[in-house]
Structure formats: structure tokens, C-alpha cells
Amino acid sequence: MPSVFGHLPRARLATLPTPLERGSELPGGARLWMKRDDLTGLGMGGNKARKLEFLCGAAVAQGARSLVTVGAAQSNHCRMTAAAGAMLGLEVHLVLSGDAPAVPTGNLLLSNLFGAQQHFTGSEESHWGELEIAREALANELRAAGAEPYSIPIGGSTPVGAVGYAVAFVELMQQCQAFDVTPAAIVHTSSSGGTHAGLLAGRALWRLEGHDVPEVLAIGVAKGVNMGMPNIADLARDTIELIGGDRSILDRGDVRVDPNWMGHDYGVPTRAGDAAIRWAARHGGWVLDRVYSGKGFAGLVGNAEAGRWAAGNDVVFIHTGGTPAIFAAGGVPPGR
Ligand SMILES: Cc1ncc(COP(=O)(O)O)c(C=O)c1O
């Protein structure tokens, strides 16, 4: 099965497979499993390492000499792109929200350390449209200057990037088989949609081989994904096509997004997210963050409490990372 991905250019950047850890019982009695994609290695780990393997593979295959990407100032994706560029000898340009801080912390500190050039736009961190326009403008400037950039949209959520999570789905199913576990659901945090689309692409291909497949439940932490942008079914179908499969194997009904855990906006902490961060820290020593994985895990716990899964069911949370952000101002929940 993994050989179906073999024809796509891939840069080996991540430490794979990531561990699958057995966790404790969830409220309601389902059993938690933690898929440690916070431990992908690249530049302190996280989900973007898997996407960057294929994005950077494509960049190198096209003869790119630089990478350009975009995100919030504390973007994990930007930090890992900076690390990937350092590993591959590519110059990296990051288009970031807000203004340059006097003292860089968290992801910004690391992107600096990896040698990326940071371009602050002054824009709000949730104004992704403005950031994308600035990325395109910078990519055009670099192209004109002969820097041969490979330009990566926010979160790396193109079909090429999403292939990384089609591969991850298969990896996870093989680990579940080894543990003799048949999960009822795979739950993860979603913001630009590529992780979700990739998982659904992998799930459709795995189902085509005659396997039973778990539900994939995305917890939306940004307004776009919660309103259906990007269109996850279309992105997953484009991903399947890129891998060499038939688009029609994915059903629109396969797409499940729970939009109830974002709170006021992307990047604004929630009480449920903070409570979930404490739960994960105290039940498994897992470190979640307030922008992504804390809210995603709050969605898993909330659905478990509401009885979505029966006692004894196995439920996998994909820990997509975000750890360095806890070392930025406001990165850890106040109080006990
Ligand atoms: C830690 C973390 N979790 C989850 C996500 C969401 O992944 P995607 O953008 O593929 O939806 C991101 C994206 O930036 C992230 O940094």
C-alpha cells in the first residue's frame, strides 16, 4: 500500500513512524490513543513535517533555490519550513502577521535560529487573505530577482502537502493493526484543512483495499475551515488524483468537521481548550498548545462527554504539535 506514494518526489525530513501511545480512559469510557505527530523531529516537530516532505520534494525536483511561505507570527508551519530550508540548503522567506517583536520567542525565536528571513506585514493574524496576497507579492519579487522560489500557501495545504497525511493515515492504520486495535474514530485539529484532506484521502485508499475505516473527525480552530473553506472534499479528491487514484472513491459524506471548539476566533484561547491542556498534561504528560492542539483535544473530550463513542471504543487523537508556542507570551493557561 505505501508504494502507491512512491512516484512522488519526497525530501526525507521527518522521523517516522511517530509513536502511537495508549492513553487513559476518556469521560464516557472510551479509550484514548495518542498519535505523537508532535514528535516528527523536524525543527522541534509537528504535523507540518509530513507535508513539507512532499512540498520540499516538489520544490527540489523543480530546481527551486528558495522557499516562501506565510503564517501568523507564532506559526508552527513557518518554523518547520525554516528548519526544512536549513536541512536542504534552501533560502527561506516567511511572510508573517503583526510587527517584529523586540524579543522573539517561541516559534519566532526558532525560525530566526534556523536562518529564515522574516517579513512582517502588520496584519491581523486571522486575516489570511491579506497574508496570502503578501506572500504572492514577495514570491514575484524573488522570482524577478532570480531566487527561484517555491511558494507554499498557508499551512502547506495543497494536494502535494496533503499527501503527507494520506501516508500518515496508512502508517496509523498499520500501527493499530500491530496493537490489534480497531479505532472508532481519529480526531485532530484543523485550521488550513490539509491534514484533514490528506487523512481522508488515505482513508479512501485504505477503504478501497477492503479495510474497515474509522471516522475522521476534524475539530476546526479557524473560521475558514469551520465555514467550509477550503472545500475539504475537493482538496482530498485532488490529493487522491495526485497519488494516482480515482477521485470518486471519496464521498462528500466522509467529511466531518466539528466547528464548536474555536471560541471567538483563531488564536484566541478558550476555557475548554485550557482545561483540555491541563487534562492532557496530567493524564499523559502530553504538552498541547492554546491555538491548535488544546482546542482540538477539547473537541475530543467534549464529544466523548456527549457520548459520541461507546465505553470501550478506541479513539485516536493525532497530536499535531504546536509545542514551541507555549514558550511565547500567553502560551500556557493561567492558574491550576
Ligand atoms: C500544531 C498544529 N496543529 C494543527 C494544525 C492544523 O493543520 P492544518 O493546517 O493542516 O489544518 C496546525 C497548522 O498550522 C498546527 O500548527
Side-chain angles (χ1 to χ4, degrees):
M1 173 77 187
S3 63
V4 299
F5 306 109
H7 62 292
L8 296 168
R10 182 174 186 177
R12 295 288 171 172
L13 301 170
T15 305
L16 301 176
T18 56
L20 176 64
E21 294 174 1
R22 185 187 166 93
S24 51
E25 200 174 273
L26 289 162
R31 162 78 47 196
L32 173 67
W33 293 81
M34 194 63 91
K35 174 67 170 159
R36 298 293 306 272
D37 274 14
D38 57 320
L39 300 181
T40 52
L42 177 69
M44 290 192 76
N47 63 337
K48 298 300 154 36
R50 294 187 184 267
K51 295 181 180 184
L52 284 163
E53 287 210 332
F54 290 94
L55 290 163
C56 291
V60 170
Q62 286 173 24
R65 292 197 293 114
S66 58
L67 302 171
V68 184
T69 197
V70 59
Q74 280 297 331
S75 162
N76 298 294
H77 164 67
C78 287
R79 179 246 313 162
M80 277 180 273
T81 305
M87 278 179 79
L88 297 170
L90 300 170
E91 187 177 292
V92 176
H93 294 264
L94 304 176
V95 173
L96 300 168
S97 65
D99 300 309
V103 181
T105 56
N107 283 302
L108 263 185
L109 179 153
L110 291 170
S111 303
N112 250 340
L113 184 64
F114 299 139
Q117 296 188 40
Q118 301 174 335
H119 306 260
F120 289 90
T121 57
S123 35
E124 298 277 330
E125 66 174 12
S126 60
H127 290 189
W128 292 3
E130 274 173 39
L131 288 166
E132 287 291 31
I133 291 167
R135 168 180 64 88
E136 270 316 310
L138 179 64
N140 288 337
E141 261 176 51
L142 290 165
R143 206 165 287 125
E148 295 179 53
Y150 182 85
S151 188
I152 304 174
I154 204 150
S157 287
T158 63
V160 173
V163 170
Y165 267 90
V167 177
F169 185 90
V170 175
E171 176 187 305
L172 175 56
M173 289 301 99
Q174 289 171 338
Q175 285 174 315
C176 288
Q177 284 177 336
F179 280 117
D180 204 15
V181 164
T182 309
I186 296 171
V187 184
H188 70 96
T189 312
S190 183
S191 69
S192 66
T195 300
H196 190 194
L199 288 168
L200 290 178
R203 178 178 180 271
L205 291 163
W206 188 247
R207 179 171 57 194
L208 193 66
E209 294 207 333
H211 301 285
D212 286 337
V213 286
E215 164 190 40
V216 172
L217 177 63
I219 310 295
V221 300
K223 283 182 177 158
V225 280
N226 284 343
M227 293 188 314
M229 289 176 306
N231 182 311
I232 299 297
D234 288 348
L235 184 53
R237 286 175 171 165
D238 291 348
T239 308
I240 291 167
E241 206 164 63
L242 183 67
I243 293 167
D246 177 346
R247 311 176 58 81
S248 67
I249 63 172
L250 189 116
D251 241 46
R252 289 203 180 270
D254 292 339
V255 180
R256 303 218 175 132
V257 180
D258 180 346
N260 297 313
W261 306 93
M262 175 182 74
H264 183 63
D265 203 349
Y266 167 82
V268 180
T270 60
R271 286 166 75 103
D274 287 354
I277 290 172
R278 290 191 195 94
W279 195 97
R282 289 162 196 199
H283 285 79
W286 298 301
V287 181
L288 307 178
D289 78 289
R290 298 180 97 188
V291 179
Y292 296 104
S293 47
K295 289 183 181 179
F297 194 64
L300 183 149
V301 174
N303 277 281
E305 278 168 348
R308 188 180 188 109
W309 304 293
N313 276 178
D314 292 291
V315 177
V316 180
F317 183 66
I318 303 185
H319 184 341
T320 44
T323 318
I326 75 160
F327 301 109
V332 282
R336 286 187 55 77

